[in-house]
Amino acid sequence: MKINEKQLELVNRQITRLRNSSHFYGQWLKDGGIEHLDSEEDFCRLPFSEKKDLREAYPLGLMACEEEKIVRIHSSSGTTGLPVIIPYTAKDVDDWGEMFRRCYEFAGCTSRDRIQITPGYGLWTAGIGFQNGCEKLGAMAIPMGPGNTEKQLQMMQDLKSTVLCSTSSYALLLAEEIEKRKIRDKIHLKKGVIGSERWGEKMRTRISEELGIELYDIYGLTEIYGPGIGINCKYNTGMHYWDDYLYLEIIDPVTGENLPDGEWGEIVITTLVKEGAPLIRFRTHDLSRIIPGECPCGSKFPRIDVISGRSDDMIKIKGVNFFPKQLEEILAMFPELSSEYQIRISHLDGRDTIRIYIEASGRYDFKQLQGRVAETVRSRIGFTPLVYVVELGFLPRSEKKTKRVIDERYA
Ligand code: ZN
């Protein structure tokens, strides 16, 4: 999706703000002698920013305005080393609330709804983001925060909550508890607004059916406001995102080249009006694609597809880059195959060898099936694997995340 004139104008204003601050990107712009962009080509020449740049700015190096204007900070996870601190101005908080209000609106929520918010409050952007949007919508917030299932269910019944905001795992847990206690007829939920966590269609169907609710996926990340920068509408054709606040690009995660609409790659986000900590060409490492064309709902807000994974999942093999998702797509073409597979990559006799173990969904001619799968992988991805079709239940199961790719090359 090409950057439009209005967006380019906003980026130019942001460039001025960044250059006048001690923000790392402002320094890059000064070093590169960049003051103004005239075209999309100019924009695409700007360097990417990464989470590590943000981490190096710890604690308050991302602040791109006078400190008097900062009203709040949030922080993203510090799984490796220092956390990232994001400062917000009053306008940033307000803009974020407006984006989140739109999310609720796209999910069909109104000021008559009672919204039970179970994500955590605090340094995280989660709970408070759901709260801001809810208040902007004029709905009744029930700010539970996480855990304490007993109390959650009590409030859900007594206050007749109509909307549940949670992670997919917690929504499933609540659904199971409601089923166990046989209190489904005392529950008034109509919708679930589910915060970003990758979840499969199977889990989705279960939550939706057990609770009897419509589900909506929220997209967002702390570095860019927080949750609420995109959501699916009732047609469920991908997530609309707010292109008046953000400019999204999809790039090839290896070459950094921009990809045309419709092609899968990594989401790169530029904030357009953020004051506290603006970001230009921030690499999210989330994989998706711009969905071309218009949504049946008629909204002009563009759409991205459901996040399919992270660019860190990418496997490089025989000069070809591929993602487990591509293999999943091939498996979906064969009704004879189940969803379970395992990829093993090893280095033998100076060459990379890829073995793919796939479970069959029944009794078939495995040998013939192996040949057809190998040929499809060759023609669609570009390398020929050794394919082993195995019986259902042969591959290991996990209660957590199943490890599907085993790279033995560097063991
Ligand atoms: Zn739509």
Side-chain angles (χ1 to χ4, degrees):
M1 185 141 291
K2 286 197 182 316
I3 191 162
N4 64 39
E5 235 167 83
K6 172 83 183 147
Q7 290 169 324
L8 198 61
E9 164 60 29
L10 292 170
V11 172
N12 275 319
R13 280 190 224 169
Q14 195 161 266
I15 283 177
T16 308
R17 284 203 302 277
L18 286 168
R19 287 180 57 107
N20 292 330
S21 74
S22 55
H23 191 286
F24 72 92
Y25 209 98
Q27 194 57 49
W28 290 0
L29 292 166
K30 277 186 262 182
D31 292 347
I34 300 160
E35 280 177 55
H36 185 89
L37 309 177
D38 292 322
S39 63
E40 193 198 16
E41 290 71 49
D42 283 358
F43 179 82
C44 292
R45 276 196 288 269
L46 291 175
F48 294 115
S49 45
E50 291 268 7
K51 186 140 176 170
K52 75 166 175 40
D53 305 316
L54 275 53
R55 206 172 272 135
E56 281 165 12
Y58 182 86
L60 281 170
L62 293 179
M63 198 162 60
C65 63
E66 310 82 66
E67 189 180 333
E68 296 90 291
K69 291 185 75 185
I70 301 299
V71 299
R72 184 201 285 181
I73 62 113
H74 280 293
S75 166
S76 75
S77 62
T79 42
T80 48
L82 293 170
V84 169
I85 305 272
I86 308 286
Y88 295 66
T89 65
K91 182 180 183 297
D92 294 337
V93 170
D94 193 61
D95 287 349
W96 180 21
E98 169 57 21
M99 284 188 270
F100 217 126
R101 186 196 62 76
R102 273 186 205 164
C103 287
Y104 283 124
E105 203 174 76
F106 269 62
C109 304
T110 70
S111 57
R112 308 269 315 160
D113 277 302
R114 297 176 179 186
I115 304 183
Q116 186 156 340
I117 300 165
T118 73
Y121 287 74
L123 278 175
W124 304 103
T125 49
I128 205 161
F130 282 90
Q131 174 91 20
N132 277 349
C134 174
E135 288 178 0
K136 274 225 177 241
L137 182 71
M140 186 197 292
I142 307 169
M144 299 297 296
N148 203 344
T149 300
E150 205 62 49
K151 196 163 186 182
Q152 299 275 5
L153 294 175
Q154 194 61 48
M155 295 294 253
M156 196 179 278
Q157 295 174 72
D158 296 347
L159 285 166
K160 301 185 169 60
S161 308
T162 55
V163 179
L164 172 68
C165 299
S166 75
T167 61
S168 53
S169 322
Y170 199 50
L172 186 64
L173 190 150
L174 288 171
E176 286 170 348
E177 284 300 316
I178 288 165
E179 167 65 25
K180 223 187 277 173
R181 294 159 198 234
K182 306 272 174 256
I183 50 170
R184 169 95 186 262
D185 57 336
K186 296 196 182 85
I187 300 294
H188 296 79
L189 291 178
K190 289 184 295 199
K191 295 166 202 293
V193 176
I194 307 299
S196 52
E197 185 184 14
R198 222 188 129 196
W199 54 323
E201 202 50 44
K202 252 189 189 147
M203 192 170 183
R204 200 188 172 89
T205 313
R206 252 187 93 193
I207 297 170
S208 165
E209 283 176 358
E210 289 199 6
L211 289 174
I213 58 175
E214 286 170 19
L215 294 174
Y216 294 87
D217 285 297
I218 282 258
Y219 180 57
L221 50 158
T222 300
E223 293 83 355
I224 312 282
Y225 297 100
I229 65 175
I231 193 169
N232 58 301
C233 66
K234 67 174 177 181
Y235 291 94
N236 201 14
T237 56
M239 297 182 282
H240 289 279
Y241 65 89
W242 321 126
D243 65 344
D244 45 351
Y245 291 94
L246 306 162
Y247 174 60
L248 264 67
E249 301 167 81
I250 301 291
I251 61 157
D252 179 319
V254 179
T255 65
E257 296 284 324
N258 281 78
L259 294 173
D261 292 355
E263 279 188 30
W264 286 90
E266 179 182 332
I267 303 175
V268 171
I269 306 182
T270 296
T271 63
L272 297 174
V273 291
K274 213 163 184 236
E275 297 177 333
L279 287 177
I280 292 182
R281 304 198 87 196
F282 180 69
R283 292 188 63 160
T284 65
H285 294 280
D286 287 332
L287 299 173
S288 184
R289 65 185 186 114
I290 302 273
I291 299 178
E294 210 169 287
C295 181
C297 75
S299 166
K300 299 285 180 225
F301 286 111
R303 290 166 297 158
I304 49 169
D305 214 319
V306 174
I307 309 300
S308 72
R310 308 254 319 150
S311 57
D312 329 82
D313 297 343
M314 193 179 66
I315 304 164
K316 289 182 202 177
I317 202 143
K318 294 184 178 177
V320 176
N321 299 309
F322 95 101
F323 293 95
K325 186 186 159 63
Q326 287 173 284
L327 185 66
E328 286 170 24
E329 283 165 2
I330 290 173
L331 301 192
M333 295 162 64
F334 292 86
E336 303 96 320
L337 300 173
S338 86
S339 61
E340 295 309 299
Y341 66 89
Q342 190 178 83
I343 301 171
R344 283 182 171 266
I345 308 159
S346 46
H347 197 72
L348 289 173
D349 308 324
R351 290 198 315 177
D352 287 343
T353 309
I354 309 107
R355 284 166 295 151
I356 303 177
Y357 296 85
I358 316 168
E359 287 186 1
S361 57
R363 296 189 66 83
Y364 301 98
D365 179 347
F366 286 7
K367 200 149 190 216
Q368 189 253 11
L369 197 50
Q370 285 166 186
R372 280 162 57 218
V373 174
E375 172 51 26
T376 311
V377 171
R378 190 202 58 77
S379 68
R380 293 176 69 105
I381 305 180
F383 60 85
T384 308
L386 293 168
V387 176
Y388 301 95
V389 175
V390 296
E391 282 139 29
L392 196 65
F394 180 88
L395 295 171
R397 298 291 195 263
S398 169
E399 285 174 8
K400 294 178 196 149
K401 211 178 152 194
T402 307
K403 192 161 172 56
R404 299 188 186 281
V405 180
I406 296 163
D407 197 334
E408 298 163 330
R409 285 179 295 184
Y410 315 107

